[in-house]
């Protein structure tokens, strides 16, 4: 079974299972392409409407934070799966699947990891983390972001990888090692390299796509188990989508038998018009352009937004608006009313 079928097949099985057990709340109906959202556990507990919106609309969830080292690894010896397990049971009880985010990322690392030094010690720490975490969720998480944001912010020549603990200590082979460790732990799981700022027009975005292709090609040449590229798709509303660039990027990946998915879609609107209707149209238009450009070359295996409601979003942390009005980056507004972005996503995910 191909991994893409595993994810979608798993969703169908989950939906049937939910139908046979009346006590369990029913899942959102299966879609042509599964739709999902990043989830915050505290909001899930406190906000009934949030919980309901996720159950009604999502076939997939992904924890926004609790599977990062910062939460999972309070100390070198401890693994804390409490919050991840809670979200997974929420998914299970409601006929959804849960993706894993993320095994290796330069950010959200606990202080104690600063003491990891040297090639051997680093490889040992990376292996222990991946074996334990992927192993804990073996057969229960069908898709993992193995490496998040591996590309240098402004890749040039041989400096195309983002510095992190693993690159410094193990060299660029850390990427291959991470994929191999994940595959040997759960051979059924879809293994993803996830990246931002690869969607829009301009040299900066093009260089980043090319650097990512270089990494994927290198992994493929070495026979490493990589299955998909994740477009984070934190789209900056003021930039146009590079439709040709995205389509040919996806086509090159397809030629290497590498799938694509959209992992963290939202549209950053700090530089968009004040008028909400106008703003929402631009936001939906950007997402449509991206989803169309991807679909023209290959159907994404899933589409996830980084949150479902403007009530809970990371965007204002960095991109507040000068006019003081709240950001509107997500498919539902703060009162859970669907916006044009939701319709745009549904056009791609719902069966024709
Ligand atoms: O949990 C603490 C809380 O106890 C404390 O009171 C509060 C005070 O600042 O901080 C809380 O932790 C914050 C956490 O989000 C939970 O809200 C962290 O400071 C904050 O750094 C963390 O930010 C997250 C960030 O990744 C770093 O992990 C964002 O919510 C999350 O949206 C963001 O997600 C990333 C993806 O993983 C990768 N792609 C980009 C995306 C957006 O930046």
């Amino acid at each position: 079974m191909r991994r893409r079928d595993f994810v979608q097949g798993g969703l169908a099985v989950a939906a049937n299972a939910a139908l046979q057990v009346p006590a369990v709340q029913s899942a959102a109906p299966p879609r042509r392409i599964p739709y999902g959202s990043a989830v915050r556990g505290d909001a899930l507990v406190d906000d009934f409407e949030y919980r309901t919106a996720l159950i009604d609309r999502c076939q997939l969830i992904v924890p926004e934070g609790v599977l990062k080292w910062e939460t999972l690894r309070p100390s070198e010896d401890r693994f804390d799966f409490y919050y991840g397990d809670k979200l997974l049971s929420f998914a299970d009880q409601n006929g959804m699947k849960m993706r894993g985010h993320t095994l290796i990322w330069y950010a959200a690392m606990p202080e104690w990891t600063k003491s990891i030094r040297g090639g051997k010690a680093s490889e040992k720490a990376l292996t222990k983390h991946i074996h334990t975490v992927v192993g804990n969720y073996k057969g229960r998480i069908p898709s993992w972001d193995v490496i998040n944001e591996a590309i240098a912010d402004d890749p040039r020549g041989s400096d195309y990888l983002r510095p992190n603990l693993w690159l410094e200590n193990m060299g660029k082979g850390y990427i291959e090692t991470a994929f191999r460790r994940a595959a040997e732990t759960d051979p059924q799981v879809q293994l993803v390299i996830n990246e931002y700022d690869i969607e829009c027009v301009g040299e900066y975005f093009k260089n980043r796509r090319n650097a990512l292709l270089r990494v994927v090609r290198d992994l493929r040449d070495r026979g490493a188990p990589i299955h998909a590229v994740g477009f984070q798709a934190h789209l900056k509303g003021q930039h146009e989508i590079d439709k040709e660039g995205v389509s040919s990027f996806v086509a090159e990946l397809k030629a290497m038998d590498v799938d694509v998915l959209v992992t963290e879609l939202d549209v950053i609107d700090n530089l968009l018009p004040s008028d909400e209707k106008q703003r929402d149209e631009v936001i939906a238009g950007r997402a449509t352009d991206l989803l169309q450009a991807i679909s023209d070359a290959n159907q994404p295996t899933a589409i996830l937004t980084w949150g479902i409601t403007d009530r809970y979003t990371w965007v204002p942390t960095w991109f507040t608006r000068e006019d003081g009005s709240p950001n509107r980056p997500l498919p539902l507004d703060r009162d859970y009313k669907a916006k044009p972005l939701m319709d745009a996503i549904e056009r791609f995910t719902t069966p024709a």
Side-chain angles (χ1 to χ4, degrees), residues 53-70:
L54 293 166
I55 294 169
D56 284 351
R57 295 183 181 270
C58 295
Q59 296 80 40
L60 262 176
I61 59 166
V62 59
E64 189 169 338
V66 299
L67 292 183
K68 294 171 183 168
W69 282 62
E70 198 170 52

Side-chain angles (χ1 to χ4, degrees), residues 241-306:
I241 301 299
D242 187 339
K243 295 187 224 164
E244 276 180 32
V246 166
S247 290
S248 66
F249 175 70
V250 175
E252 290 209 46
L253 293 170
K254 191 179 180 191
M256 290 187 270
D257 200 24
V258 173
D259 289 328
V260 288
L261 65 160
V262 177
T263 51
E264 304 184 16
L265 175 64
D266 51 24
V267 184
I268 298 168
D269 61 339
N270 58 321
L271 301 180
L272 294 184
S274 293
D275 181 80
E276 286 187 354
K277 194 160 180 288
Q278 235 182 320
R279 208 192 313 170
D280 288 351
E281 290 304 330
V282 177
I283 287 170
R286 297 294 187 226
T288 301
D289 285 350
L290 175 69
L291 298 177
Q292 190 62 56
I294 293 173
S295 307
D296 284 348
N298 197 6
Q299 178 172 292
T301 64
I303 298 173
L304 295 101
T305 49
W306 205 238

Side-chain angles (χ1 to χ4, degrees), residues 7 15 30 60 67 72 83 150 165 187 193 209 212 225 229 275 284 305 307:
V7 175
L60 262 176
L67 292 183
L72 272 184
Y83 295 102
L165 158 66
I193 188 162
R209 278 195 300 275
L212 183 53
V229 164
D275 181 80
T305 49

Side-chain angles (χ1 to χ4, degrees), residues 63-71 100-110 113 126 129-130 144-151 162-167 174-175 178 192-196 208 232 234 264 306 314 318:
E64 189 169 338
V66 299
L67 292 183
K68 294 171 183 168
W69 282 62
E70 198 170 52
T71 308
H101 173 84
T102 171
L103 296 169
I104 301 292
W105 188 26
Y106 73 90
M109 292 294 277
T113 54
L126 177 143
H129 185 79
I130 294 178
W144 265 106
D145 291 333
V146 179
I147 308 274
N148 193 41
E149 303 176 2
I151 304 303
R162 182 185 284 275
N164 65 21
L165 158 66
W166 316 106
L167 183 68
Y174 87 87
I175 298 178
V192 179
I193 188 162
N194 196 35
E195 195 52 75
Y196 71 95
R208 292 180 53 74
Q232 285 192 2
H234 294 294
E264 304 184 16
W306 205 238
W314 71 288
W318 302 104

